[in-house]
Amino acid sequence: MDEPPSLFPQPNRDKAEKDRVREAGLDPSGHRGRLRKRLLEGGDDALGDHEVIEYLLMTAIPRQDVKPHARMLLQRFGSLAGVLNADAQTLMGVPGIKDAAAAALKIVGISARRLARQTVREEPVLSSWQALLDYLHIDMAHLNHERVRVLYLNTQNRLILDQIVSDGTLDESAIYTREIIAKAMAIGAAALILVHNHPSGSPEPSRADIQITQKIIEAGRLLGITVHDHVIIGRQGHVSLKAKGLI
């Protein structure tokens, strides 16, 4: 028996029907809906890298097939991390990527870095080493220039300050021993960890990396400041000078 018409409006049902009709108009093949279903019901690996980028672009580029854009971005930047860490102007240099799409990609990279940084701040750094490495990889591994940062720690080895001391050219960046030790003294740091990346991809330390580390260790020793490590980050992994017995 047919259900008699309701005497009262049903706003939720009406809205759901309107949303369904609207979505069908924007996504006639149903591809976007299927992608969203896999995302919501699956695990971390439910979507491939190109599909993650595609889904982000879908939020910024309506009524358009964005699969070609996603694949173009992956080809241009080499990996999902490369896309999410690219600067806005470089992203907008890719055909079809305008400010809304660049912003959708950038916000994910920013969120990932903030989440990783918060994890590092919550525990003593030396007892949450993997969290630190994850944070450094997210922030530095895919840069196309050299970045030097110093992590200043208190007596409990908790992070006081994460300072970028230099953003250099493709393959060099200045590290000034006096400035690093002076900053440690000024903020009352008991220890520090040096970090920099190699844009070439290989994290293997150079002779200059080892020499500057030794210089900072010696300067810190005179003032009671411990240099726990010097970590070098690259797309191919990382190297701890302490773990290699170089300091």
Side-chain angles (χ1 to χ4, degrees):
M1 181 179 295
D2 294 338
E3 181 180 350
S6 173
L7 298 177
F8 301 98
Q10 302 179 12
N12 291 340
R13 182 182 297 178
D14 292 345
K15 182 178 184 302
E17 179 64 16
K18 288 179 181 178
D19 288 346
R20 186 190 66 76
V21 172
R22 178 177 177 274
E23 182 171 348
L26 296 178
D27 183 23
S29 71
H31 173 69
R32 293 188 174 202
R34 290 190 297 272
L35 204 62
R36 181 171 61 250
K37 189 174 190 296
R38 284 168 52 203
L39 172 64
L40 294 175
E41 297 180 357
D44 290 349
D45 297 322
L47 302 183
D49 286 356
H50 69 285
E51 292 173 319
V52 171
I53 297 171
E54 182 184 350
Y55 196 88
L56 291 169
L57 294 178
M58 282 164 41
T59 66
I61 307 176
R63 302 181 182 87
Q64 188 174 339
D65 179 9
V66 294
K67 289 192 294 293
H69 299 79
R71 296 188 183 279
M72 193 182 306
L73 284 164
L74 269 179
Q75 184 176 10
R76 166 68 175 79
F77 296 102
S79 66
L80 176 61
V83 174
L84 298 180
N85 280 289
D87 67 81
Q89 291 303 315
T90 306
L91 287 169
M92 288 188 286
V94 176
I97 303 301
K98 301 189 184 304
D99 57 352
L105 296 168
K106 287 288 293 177
I107 194 63
V108 177
I110 290 170
S111 299
R113 285 190 292 275
R114 290 190 181 181
L115 177 61
R117 183 173 59 200
Q118 183 62 35
T119 302
V120 170
R121 290 185 181 278
E122 289 175 351
E123 299 290 339
V125 170
L126 298 185
S127 61
S128 55
W129 193 250
Q130 187 57 52
L132 174 64
L133 293 176
D134 291 343
Y135 165 54
L136 296 174
H137 274 279
I138 289 170
D139 187 69
M140 301 174 69
H142 296 274
L143 294 175
N144 58 9
H145 63 274
E146 190 165 296
R147 169 172 290 174
V148 179
R149 73 192 323 135
V150 181
L151 307 176
Y152 294 97
L153 312 177
N154 64 16
T155 54
Q156 287 78 43
N157 288 318
R158 289 182 179 272
L159 187 65
I160 300 175
L161 177 66
D162 172 10
Q163 184 181 38
I164 295 175
V165 298
S166 179
D167 267 324
T169 59
L170 179 64
D171 58 1
E172 63 178 279
S173 189
I175 302 179
Y176 298 105
T177 301
R178 180 180 300 176
E179 292 180 8
I180 289 172
I181 299 302
K183 185 67 175 182
M185 296 294 292
I187 64 175
L192 59 86
I193 297 171
L194 302 166
V195 186
H196 80 282
N197 68 301
H198 281 177
S200 64
S202 171
E204 287 302 315
S206 66
R207 179 177 298 178
D209 293 335
I210 299 169
Q211 289 174 342
I212 190 63
T213 306
Q214 294 288 356
K215 187 176 179 181
I216 295 172
I217 288 173
E218 185 59 32
R221 184 182 294 119
L222 296 174
L223 296 170
I225 298 168
T226 302
V227 178
H228 284 311
D229 207 341
H230 185 166
V231 179
I232 303 174
I233 301 294
R235 285 184 292 275
Q236 299 171 14
H238 74 276
V239 165
S240 157
L241 268 62
K242 184 175 182 178
K244 288 182 73 75
L246 296 174
I247 60 174

